[in-house]
Amino acid sequence: MDYETAMIKLRGEVCSGIKLGLQNIKTLMEKLGNPQDKLKIIHIAGTNGKGSCTSFVNSALVSQGYKVGMFTSPSIYNFEERIRINNKNIPEDKLIDLMNEVREVAETMEVFPADFELVTAIAFLYFYREKCDFAIMEVGLGGRLDATNVAQNPLITLITSISLDHQQFLGNTIPEIALEKAGIIKENVPLVLYSQSKEAMDSIIGVANSKNSKVILNDLEKIELLENTKNGQIINYKDFKDLKINLLGSHQINNATISLELLEQLRKMGFEISNESIYNGFSSVTWPCRFELVSKNPDFILDGAHNIDGIEKFISSMNFYYKDNKKIGIFGVLADKDYNEMLAKIVPCFDVFLTVRPDSDRAMESKELKERIEKLTEKKVYSFENYQDAINKAIEISKEDDVISAFGSLYFVGEVRNLLGVGDY
């Protein structure tokens, strides 16, 4: 199988799509020798913030000198970036070899695995064979029935903020969704939990208590914000003084502090992690398309806000960093999302709108989105058939002290990042 064929298959054009449930992935992993049981796994779930926490923890552990596997989704530039060791993508040749091996085993199964199950199996095999010290596994969807949850003996689990998203799979209320995320909690394995709404925490802590899982919360009262600019944020948190965080947005402070709590738990387990490694890791961490400033004069921000919670955090950051600047927004929506509530939050924030159609069968046409915005405001709205035209127009109508932002699904924002010529991360 060549690279192009492998990518076609892994994108689901040959393999089936989402299959929630663990029996298939359990069977596949058993046939592969259960490499996940031989890894030191850090398992991370949540609605928003999974990737940021994964990146914080990874950066600190790599700074310490550990060999760290990192499994995330979706990808921004290329498929290989979903599976990384010490910030380097899995090489094409190894991906193809592992794909061939995993598919050969999968073809002996009664039910052929979904694409995400295949990719999860590849990640576990790769991290095991490369002798990773840690494997940080980000949940794809939910938690309880997600393919990554085939790992039954993680070192530690972490759950980030919970909000409404993927209700067709996870439930229509915060407690229902929280219970799905809590499915990653294991007997006698510590859980680090993002401090959040009582209804989410009650559901998660209830599951943790039933499994004798120690719960560690980040202490919001111990956070002292010293500096918050477009160059980064500096905080005091417990014994960590003047800690620089290289990701923007007040929500990233919470993500950073639960990541600190996780690293502290690893220390208590006997793993050596110096303060210097944490400081170096947090100050240099990158995570693309999460309120990412990619160019200046005018500033150009990319953000993967695609649900209500994400939109609220994005708008809060825009209003904080660019309170008095003219704001130009490039975005599209999926017709099956709660776009009316999203628009109600987006429209007051921006001064000019450029609508596009995301590359999805579920996407709303850009002209229809334009019409819906025009019903809510008299502000200028443009509609475009392709992303490059929208980018060109935004730059044309902007001045040096304005801010342009492309936001929405990570696939869309990743495409814009690529069109802007921003380098890999």
Side-chain angles (χ1 to χ4, degrees):
M1 186 187 302
D2 61 17
Y3 178 76
E4 184 176 355
T5 304
M7 290 303 96
I8 289 173
K9 292 181 183 297
L10 284 174
R11 290 187 185 109
E13 294 176 32
V14 174
C15 306
S16 48
I18 294 172
K19 288 181 186 174
L20 291 177
L22 295 180
Q23 188 52 55
N24 225 32
I25 184 68
K26 283 181 179 179
T27 301
L28 177 60
M29 297 312 297
E30 285 171 4
K31 289 177 176 287
L32 292 168
N34 284 322
Q36 76 281 4
D37 294 340
K38 302 158 190 171
L39 288 164
K40 294 180 177 68
I41 291 173
I42 298 167
H43 202 185
I44 298 180
T47 306
N48 293 318
K50 298 188 296 295
S52 296
C53 290
T54 297
S55 194
F56 277 124
V57 174
N58 171 75
S59 192
L61 293 176
V62 171
S63 292
Q64 181 65 36
Y66 289 112
K67 190 173 188 178
V68 185
M70 186 169 76
F71 179 64
T72 59
S73 60
S75 50
I76 303 296
Y77 280 131
N78 53 59
F79 192 89
E80 299 93 295
E81 70 193 52
R82 295 187 181 197
I83 303 171
R84 310 184 107 197
I85 294 178
N86 285 19
N87 302 314
K88 293 184 179 179
N89 297 351
I90 181 173
E92 287 184 12
D93 59 341
K94 290 191 176 182
L95 176 60
I96 293 167
D97 288 344
L98 286 169
M99 181 61 177
N100 285 331
E101 180 179 350
V102 171
R103 283 185 64 85
E104 184 176 341
V105 171
E107 285 166 359
T108 69
M109 294 170 57
E110 185 176 344
V111 179
F112 194 85
D115 54 342
F116 188 73
E117 291 172 326
L118 294 173
V119 178
T120 302
I122 289 169
F124 280 132
L125 265 182
Y126 180 55
F127 297 154
Y128 169 66
R129 289 181 180 169
E130 294 296 318
K131 297 180 172 57
C132 286
D133 297 307
F134 296 95
I136 310 175
M137 304 296 293
E138 178 191 319
V139 165
L141 178 64
R144 181 175 64 94
L145 299 177
D146 186 76
T148 60
N149 207 29
V150 72
Q152 290 298 299
N153 300 295
L155 275 179
I156 192 166
T157 60
L158 183 150
I159 297 178
T160 65
S161 67
I162 307 297
S163 59
L164 297 176
D165 201 10
H166 301 296
Q167 289 97 311
Q168 69 270 38
F169 298 110
L170 305 179
N172 294 311
T173 67
I174 294 296
E176 287 177 322
I177 293 172
L179 283 175
E180 289 297 321
K181 309 292 185 183
I184 71 167
I185 299 171
K186 302 297 184 297
E187 294 281 347
N188 302 308
V189 174
L191 165 72
V192 180
L193 177 60
Y194 187 107
S195 295
Q196 55 195 293
S197 69
K198 184 177 185 298
E199 59 179 347
M201 297 224 297
D202 284 350
S203 295
I204 295 169
I205 291 173
V207 173
N209 289 340
S210 73
K211 295 189 175 182
N212 196 34
S213 172
K214 177 185 176 183
V215 179
I216 302 97
L217 299 171
N218 56 329
D219 190 343
L220 302 183
E221 293 184 357
K222 296 288 177 66
I223 299 172
E224 181 184 2
L225 178 62
L226 304 178
E227 182 178 309
N228 188 356
T229 72
K230 289 184 285 183
N231 294 318
Q233 306 180 82
I234 300 175
I235 64 167
N236 290 338
Y237 182 69
K238 296 185 176 179
D239 294 332
F240 292 94
K241 308 300 181 184
D242 297 309
L243 177 66
K244 181 173 182 186
I245 300 169
N246 198 39
L247 298 180
L248 301 181
S250 58
H251 57 287
Q252 294 294 4
I253 294 174
N254 285 347
N255 290 333
T257 53
I258 57 171
S259 300
L260 285 172
E261 294 290 355
L262 186 147
L263 292 165
E264 283 288 347
Q265 290 303 307
L266 292 181
R267 280 173 161 174
K268 291 178 180 179
M269 293 176 189
F271 296 102
E272 184 177 350
I273 307 168
S274 68
N275 279 1
E276 182 182 5
S277 294
I278 292 173
Y279 277 85
N280 288 340
F282 280 44
S283 66
S284 62
V285 69
T286 59
W287 197 231
C289 301
R290 277 70 169 186
F291 209 83
E292 181 185 20
L293 176 59
V294 294
S295 63
K296 297 184 177 181
N297 302 319
D299 285 5
F300 206 122
I301 295 287
L302 300 176
D303 193 275
H306 62 280
N307 53 42
I308 296 301
D309 182 55
I311 289 290
E312 288 177 344
K313 289 170 179 172
F314 166 67
I315 295 297
S316 175
S317 295
M318 286 294 292
N319 286 332
F320 177 83
Y321 294 109
Y322 299 100
K323 179 180 178 182
D324 298 319
N325 303 79
K326 179 181 176 181
K327 303 175 187 65
I328 301 167
I330 307 172
F331 71 108
V333 300
L334 301 181
D336 60 356
K337 291 283 186 179
D338 191 354
Y339 55 83
N340 286 321
E341 186 175 355
M342 288 184 182
L343 290 179
K345 297 179 183 300
I346 292 166
V347 167
C349 176
F350 285 87
D351 300 291
V352 182
F353 304 89
L354 299 90
T355 66
V356 295
R357 183 188 185 281
D359 185 14
S360 169
D361 294 338
R362 297 148 48 210
M364 181 182 292
E365 295 296 332
S366 60
K367 289 182 180 178
E368 180 182 350
L369 179 57
K370 176 178 182 289
E371 292 169 359
R372 289 181 180 273
I373 295 172
E374 288 174 334
K375 290 178 181 178
L376 300 173
T377 182
E378 295 183 357
K379 297 174 183 177
K380 185 65 179 176
V381 187
Y382 300 91
S383 171
F384 296 91
E385 294 302 313
N386 68 75
Y387 303 162
Q388 187 64 66
D389 289 346
I391 293 168
N392 292 344
K393 185 65 175 180
I395 293 171
E396 175 192 324
I397 64 176
S398 65
K399 297 179 180 178
E400 282 194 0
D401 59 350
D402 295 341
V403 56
I404 303 169
S405 180
F407 57 95
S409 79
L410 284 169
Y411 294 110
F412 158 60
V413 179
E415 279 292 317
V416 173
R417 195 177 192 271
N418 192 38
L419 290 170
L420 291 171
V422 182
D424 200 357
Y425 64 101

